[in-house]
Amino acid sequence: MTVTPLAAHASDRPAPAFRGRIGRDARSGHYAVPGRYRLHLSTACPDGLRIAVVHTLLGLDTVCPATFLPAVPDSPEGGHSALRPLYEASAHRYPGPAVAPVLSDDWSGRIVSTHAPDIMRDLDRRLGGEGLLLYPCGAESEIEAVERMCAQGIEQAAQHAGSAGGEPVDRDTALGTLLETLRALERWLEGRTYLIRDEITAADVELWVALVQLDTVHRNHLDASAVQRIADNPTLWAYARRLDAHPAFGGHLDLDGIERRHHARCQGLEAAGAAVQILDWAAHAAR
């Protein structure tokens, strides 16, 4: 099975400050040992939410404990003050903000990685058990296609479509890209429970978080007509609703934190679409 209809442009995630990996054995330096590594996450952040869902799906609470951070960073440069010692131990006089997510090594007190895709893959392949495989053999290209589609076709397109400073033609083009992506997903999901396999994979985590952001953040800067067209994909939103009812997904959904983080960072103007909620995320998660 391929995901050609879902493929989009290359992702433009910012370059990570640290990009170590957990290896297979002692020669790698960072090798897999239960209890050695720790996650530092804010679930109000999309990458933090992705990692938290993966962490719970894999049942890694004791293998790799997680420390959850406030929704809104508390340091002037936009980072978390609790992470500053880790950053400074890992890079002398580190000049940037101490941002999450972070995978740290409790043995050395240093950071292994701040790159969410690598962290998610290492949790699954190096620390996961014999049960659920979120990156199953042969699915890597499909999952990477979904990652690109979510980053460009949904998240960036929605952000550009709601940009107050953009040219109208550019906003219209971005909205067209977003709607085209959602229609492709709508067609793709017809008759399917999950995105690329018969059970949950990392592709479902990626798409669910992108849809959460679309309805809780980007919708606030779109007009009501655009939001109604976005909502007019019943199969896609039913899929999001099913995942939201799964404890590993909805159990990490901090709607208040997402709202506070958005208002702390956003410089844009609220549009009429803010009043047109697509899903009642809290109700589905509670159920």
Side-chain angles (χ1 to χ4, degrees):
M1 182 185 298
T2 64
V3 290
T4 303
L6 304 181
H9 308 290
S11 171
D12 71 340
R13 275 181 167 132
F18 301 92
R19 197 169 176 179
R21 302 298 299 268
I22 299 177
R24 294 179 180 276
D25 53 43
R27 292 173 297 178
S28 69
H30 292 117
Y31 54 96
V33 177
R36 175 176 178 177
Y37 302 100
R38 180 176 298 273
L39 291 167
H40 307 262
L41 309 171
S42 170
T43 56
C45 160
D47 278 341
L49 182 56
R50 290 183 183 97
I51 295 172
V53 172
V54 165
H55 182 259
T56 298
L57 285 170
L58 296 172
L60 297 179
D61 285 344
T62 57
V63 174
C64 179
T67 296
F68 291 95
L69 301 165
V72 181
D74 58 350
S75 60
E77 73 276 11
H80 294 273
S81 58
L83 297 179
R84 176 55 58 181
L86 277 172
Y87 272 81
E88 292 183 348
S90 306
H92 183 58
R93 295 184 178 178
Y94 179 78
V99 297
V102 166
L103 175 67
S104 68
D105 179 358
D106 281 353
W107 289 6
S108 66
R110 296 182 178 181
I111 293 171
V112 177
S113 180
T114 58
H115 187 54
D118 287 352
I119 293 172
M120 292 163 65
R121 284 164 171 79
D122 285 352
L123 291 178
D124 182 58
R125 295 169 176 167
R126 304 292 180 246
L127 300 178
E130 298 298 324
L132 185 65
L133 292 176
L134 297 180
Y135 294 87
C137 182
E140 187 66 26
S141 63
E142 295 172 293
I143 292 172
E144 288 176 354
V146 172
E147 289 173 340
R148 293 192 298 270
M149 177 271 298
C150 290
Q152 295 287 333
I154 299 179
E155 294 178 1
Q156 277 196 15
Q159 185 174 9
H160 292 161
S163 173
E167 295 293 330
V169 65
D170 294 332
R171 293 198 299 269
D172 288 345
T173 298
L175 179 59
T177 297
L178 171 62
L179 294 173
E180 181 181 354
T181 301
L182 297 180
R183 284 194 296 267
L185 283 163
E186 175 77 4
R187 294 190 298 269
W188 184 262
L189 282 166
E190 288 180 2
R192 292 186 171 93
T193 301
Y194 302 113
L195 196 54
I196 64 171
R197 291 291 188 271
D198 293 331
E199 61 182 3
I200 292 172
T201 68
D204 298 294
V205 178
E206 291 285 340
L207 179 54
W208 181 77
V209 172
L211 295 174
V212 168
Q213 288 290 301
L214 179 58
D215 191 22
T216 62
V217 174
H218 301 304
R219 170 177 57 82
N220 293 300
H221 304 294
L222 299 171
D223 63 41
S225 174
V227 176
Q228 288 166 354
R229 294 167 71 188
I230 290 168
D232 190 23
N233 292 285
T235 301
L236 175 63
W237 292 105
Y239 160 87
R241 187 164 57 244
R242 287 196 306 273
L243 289 180
D244 195 45
H246 191 299
F249 288 79
H252 285 296
L253 191 53
D254 180 6
L255 295 170
D256 177 68
I258 291 172
E259 182 179 7
R260 287 188 288 111
R261 180 179 184 272
H262 173 61
H263 287 304
R265 294 162 50 94
C266 182
Q267 304 297 320
L269 300 176
E270 187 173 282
V276 188
Q277 185 181 33
I278 299 173
L279 287 189
D280 185 346
W281 298 92
H284 301 312
R287 190 177 307 140

